[in-house]
Amino acid sequence: MTWWRNAIVYQIYPRSFADSNGDGVGDLRGIVEHIDHLTELGVDVVWLSPVYPSPHDDNGYDISNYQDIDPVFGTLDDFDTLVETLHRNGIRLVMDLVVNHTSDEHPWFAESRASRDSPQRDWYWWRPPRPGMTPGTPGAEPTNWVSYFGGPAWEFDEATGEYYLHLFTRKQPDLNWENPEVRAAVHDVMRWWLARGVDGFRMDVINMISKDPSLPDGQPGTAGAAQGLLADGRPHFICGPRLHEFLREMHDSVFARHPAQLLTVGETPGISHEEGRLLTDPARRELDMVFQFEHVTLDCGQTKWDRRQLDLRELKASFARWQNGLGDGWNSLYWDNHDQPRAVSRFGDDDPEYRERSAKLLAAVLHLHRGTPYIYQGEELGMTNVPFSHIDDFRDIESLNHYRHAVASGADPDDVLDALRSRSRDNARTPVQWTNGRHTGFTTGTPWLPVNPNHTEINAADQRKDPDSVFHFHRRLIALRHTESVVVDGDYTLLLPQDEQVWAFTRRLDSTELLVLANLSRDHVAPALDPTPWAHADTLLTNYPDAGQPPSPFRLRPWEVVVYRRVVVAGS
Ligand code: TEU
């Protein structure tokens, strides 16, 4: 069996994990110092967000050198120590590979922008202004595409009189994967890290590497009211014409030649489960799994800042579609990462009365689906969104740009702040809450982003001592995946798809069947399921202390989750 099928991955966003030298920014030695947190939890893999040299315009997702460590995080020696410490503790390490774009301070881009005749000009997407338009003025961009972080996706370069493409910030120019030299250079980088001992890659926006080379305009009117002349260019760069070819080539020239089995996970916004199947079918030799975004867009309108009430029926249907729609492919399972607001505040209930129960419920529901679960640092503690009060509290470029653009186009600043409070990526980026002490034990200096004031209530030190904590609940879920093959390989069936409060599903492998029942509300509910087959079932896991034998009829208390296991006898 492929090892990652029963593995649990823990994501570390190094800037916010643990600071060993008092400069207020987390670092590699900080991770080594907290290895016991990971081993006690029982995770199998760490995915490390970028630690490469970077101007940090987008917190390291803008890389200026692929083969070194940024001094703010440490040195290559520190990195080797981290790999060695993780491996000694039976934990693998997956690197973040950000190769849709580089930093504009990467030497490749410096060379490319030097002149129109540069031998590396074609490593990036350079285009002249729109004919008849004054270069550098609105509308003169080669296409009308909006950037993910607001404003046009093109930046005018005075010196050479052309624009370059940047789907993200202007300091993140897109590499031109049409050029075989670019692909070979990326493969070299990957081999270099593998030779250093890493166990795989999480590939940033990897489904954007192939663009339609004719670069057509986006459909006018598709980019959200605040964006003026701009439009949504995604149809021309999401899963573009050569994506599968590029991934197959990468697989053959990097992974197929590597002696150990690696883990590759592609970050793939905007894909359907059909595309997910193509990308992860092992026979096609592309990726092991992908991060899809369907479930984290269901509470969004045209953009993530337009909040929409989540309909539980849609969320369940989305999960079920992916569970059953991948054929021989494989799911990754996540609520949280460094780009998403905190799950307990978003899908759970972060009122102190329900916070712990709903954090446990969300964990149980996620981990008991079929796929590889990802835990984002702090999620195992039930960390919540942050009570930001002023725009100066934010650091994330996406949030700051959105505020600027929205307010400039007439939005009420209080409304914009309100949306930022619930959706900003900074919610996920406050320091991991280690203790109830000063700066939550994250740093002896001044943290780059202040800690959430609720660290006095929510912190690792308290939770590790409390067997009933969110932390220990995660530990039990992780152990369950390691010991119960039905969690890994069982068939999945969604029950009660129309229920607006209850999430119910079964997993079945041979004669073992699990029933997961979860109440995503503050009400007492009675799911309309026949309890008879479950009368003699064991209770495997629950977030209420006194849940015993299955009640008949089934009843669930506010935010209760319970997992039953039975042996199926023929005909039952
Ligand atoms: O994210 C890509 C992406 O499309 C989103 O997660 C995006 O950041 C989010 O929708 C914004 O609302 C990846 C990284 O995870 C992210 O941190 C980087 O900023 C981005 O790529 C650019 O490298």
Side-chain angles (χ1 to χ4, degrees):
M1 189 176 88
T2 334
W3 63 263
W4 37 256
R5 282 167 69 99
N6 65 353
I8 290 89
V9 184
Y10 185 92
Q11 182 192 353
I12 291 185
Y13 192 66
R15 165 175 284 276
S16 307
F17 190 72
D19 173 21
S20 71
N21 63 357
D23 66 358
V25 178
D27 47 44
L28 296 174
R29 283 176 180 274
I31 302 174
V32 171
E33 286 170 9
H34 284 278
I35 208 83
D36 58 327
H37 183 82
L38 306 178
T39 52
E40 184 174 358
L41 202 51
V43 297
D44 307 280
V45 184
V46 162
W47 147 27
L48 184 61
S49 276
V51 288
Y52 316 89
S54 164
H56 295 282
D57 191 47
D58 187 19
N59 286 1
Y61 282 87
D62 47 321
I63 297 169
S64 52
N65 178 356
Y66 286 113
Q67 283 155 293
D68 205 347
I69 299 293
D70 193 297
V72 82
F73 297 125
T75 61
L76 277 170
D77 280 347
D78 295 333
F79 181 82
D80 293 340
T81 305
L82 174 64
V83 175
E84 194 266 318
T85 311
L86 287 168
H87 284 174
R88 195 161 15 90
N89 285 280
I91 301 175
R92 292 174 158 100
L93 180 73
V94 161
M95 286 298 265
D96 215 312
L97 183 79
V98 188
V99 288
N100 171 68
H101 44 267
T102 66
S103 163
D104 65 337
E105 296 182 32
H106 195 292
W108 295 347
F109 188 73
E111 172 55 41
S112 177
R113 115 190 279 176
S115 84
R116 288 202 205 186
D117 307 321
S118 159
Q120 276 177 272
R121 185 68 166 177
D122 193 38
W123 280 43
Y124 294 82
W125 294 90
W126 290 98
R127 289 291 184 277
R130 220 176 261 267
M133 303 283 298
T134 311
T137 60
E141 296 86 13
T143 74
N144 61 4
W145 300 356
V146 65
S147 124
Y148 273 90
F149 295 152
W154 295 91
E155 182 72 6
F156 186 60
D157 179 57
E158 294 275 354
T160 57
E162 287 188 322
Y163 286 84
Y164 65 85
L165 177 67
H166 61 88
L167 296 182
F168 295 90
T169 79
R170 68 179 58 150
K171 287 186 67 62
Q172 293 169 301
D174 281 54
L175 281 165
N176 175 14
W177 279 65
E178 296 293 315
N179 184 333
E181 289 170 9
V182 167
R183 307 201 297 274
V186 168
H187 300 165
D188 280 347
V189 166
M190 297 174 83
R191 282 190 283 261
W192 191 83
W193 285 103
L194 289 172
R196 255 200 138 81
V198 311
D199 303 288
F201 298 97
R202 173 269 185 189
M203 302 178 192
D204 196 66
V205 292
I206 201 68
N207 65 329
M208 302 185 192
I209 57 177
S210 163
K211 282 101 178 153
D212 175 344
S214 65
L215 301 178
D217 268 334
Q219 188 80 28
T222 50
Q227 303 287 354
L229 293 169
L230 302 174
D232 180 4
R234 283 179 295 184
H236 310 300
F237 60 77
I238 294 266
C239 298
R242 300 182 68 188
L243 174 65
H244 296 290
E245 173 196 335
F246 292 160
L247 290 175
R248 169 78 71 97
E249 179 188 62
M250 178 192 282
H251 187 284
D252 290 351
S253 62
V254 181
F255 308 133
R257 293 158 191 240
H258 192 72
Q261 195 186 32
L262 304 167
L263 185 158
T264 62
V265 49
E267 189 207 25
T268 54
I271 67 163
S272 65
H273 68 276
E274 286 94 354
E275 196 64 54
R277 184 177 63 73
L278 295 178
L279 289 164
T280 64
D281 180 345
R284 293 171 52 88
R285 308 205 311 277
E286 296 182 21
L287 298 170
D288 295 328
M289 57 188 101
V290 293
F291 293 125
Q292 55 95 7
F293 281 62
E294 212 177 82
H295 63 301
V296 289
T297 51
L298 296 174
D299 57 356
C300 304
Q302 201 174 22
T303 74
K304 70 184 248 180
W305 310 109
D306 307 325
R307 283 164 294 168
R308 180 175 169 257
Q309 179 64 40
L310 180 74
D311 182 336
L312 182 63
R313 293 168 300 183
E314 288 180 17
L315 184 63
K316 295 189 293 188
S318 168
F319 267 76
R321 214 171 10 257
W322 282 82
Q323 288 291 288
N324 295 326
L326 285 186
D328 292 331
W330 189 249
N331 284 293
S332 35
L333 305 167
Y334 75 95
W335 291 123
D336 264 339
N337 61 39
H338 64 293
D339 293 332
Q340 300 294 331
R342 289 287 181 177
V344 67
S345 301
R346 182 183 192 180
F347 299 105
D349 189 334
D350 63 8
D351 182 285
E353 194 178 342
Y354 304 106
R355 178 176 50 74
E356 288 193 16
R357 276 198 218 294
S358 66
K360 292 173 184 171
L361 175 147
L362 290 173
V365 167
L366 189 80
H367 283 243
L368 295 172
H369 275 81
R370 183 184 166 90
T372 299
Y374 285 71
I375 299 174
Y376 175 65
Q377 63 186 37
E379 187 177 0
E380 76 282 16
L381 308 174
M383 277 178 63
T384 66
N385 277 358
V386 182
F388 296 111
S389 53
H390 192 269
I391 186 63
D392 295 341
D393 295 343
F394 294 90
R395 300 283 178 279
D396 173 29
I397 182 113
E398 180 192 41
S399 302
L400 298 174
N401 282 356
H402 170 65
Y403 185 85
R404 197 161 41 84
H405 285 290
V407 171
S409 24
D412 177 345
D414 286 338
D415 291 346
V416 182
L417 262 188
D418 200 43
L420 288 184
R421 250 191 305 275
S422 69
R423 290 293 159 82
S424 170
R425 306 194 294 181
D426 281 336
N427 282 301
R429 298 178 179 186
T430 57
V432 169
Q433 294 169 203
W434 295 108
T435 70
N436 62 12
R438 188 174 148 76
H439 301 317
T440 196
F442 164 72
T443 180
T444 54
T446 306
W448 72 277
L449 185 63
V451 304
N452 192 324
N454 68 12
H455 70 276
T456 49
E457 307 296 313
I458 306 173
N459 64 71
D462 290 349
Q463 293 199 20
R464 284 177 68 180
K465 282 186 277 189
D466 172 7
D468 196 32
S469 63
V470 179
F471 177 87
H472 282 285
F473 193 86
H474 274 88
R475 203 178 49 71
R476 284 196 283 280
L477 275 170
I478 291 168
L480 202 61
R481 175 166 292 266
H482 289 152
T483 51
E484 283 279 342
S485 46
V486 62
V487 175
V488 180
D489 288 317
D491 289 339
Y492 171 89
T493 307
L494 178 67
L495 308 173
L496 305 177
Q498 293 308 317
D499 196 301
E500 292 174 39
Q501 294 169 306
V502 173
W503 198 334
F505 59 89
T506 58
R507 301 291 310 280
R508 164 103 182 246
L509 183 69
D510 305 323
S511 60
T512 304
E513 188 171 36
L514 302 184
L515 171 64
V516 179
L517 283 180
N519 172 14
L520 283 89
S521 82
R522 293 182 177 185
D523 298 335
H524 288 260
V525 297
L529 284 175
D530 177 10
T532 323
W534 298 92
H536 303 291
D538 306 327
T539 302
L540 210 54
L541 196 74
T542 165
N543 63 351
Y544 271 80
D546 56 346
Q549 286 287 297
S552 178
F554 283 122
R555 287 183 303 277
L556 291 169
R557 289 165 283 186
W559 291 99
E560 180 167 9
V561 64
V562 54
V563 183
Y564 298 117
R565 176 180 51 195
R566 68 172 183 139
V567 178
V568 185
V569 288
S572 73

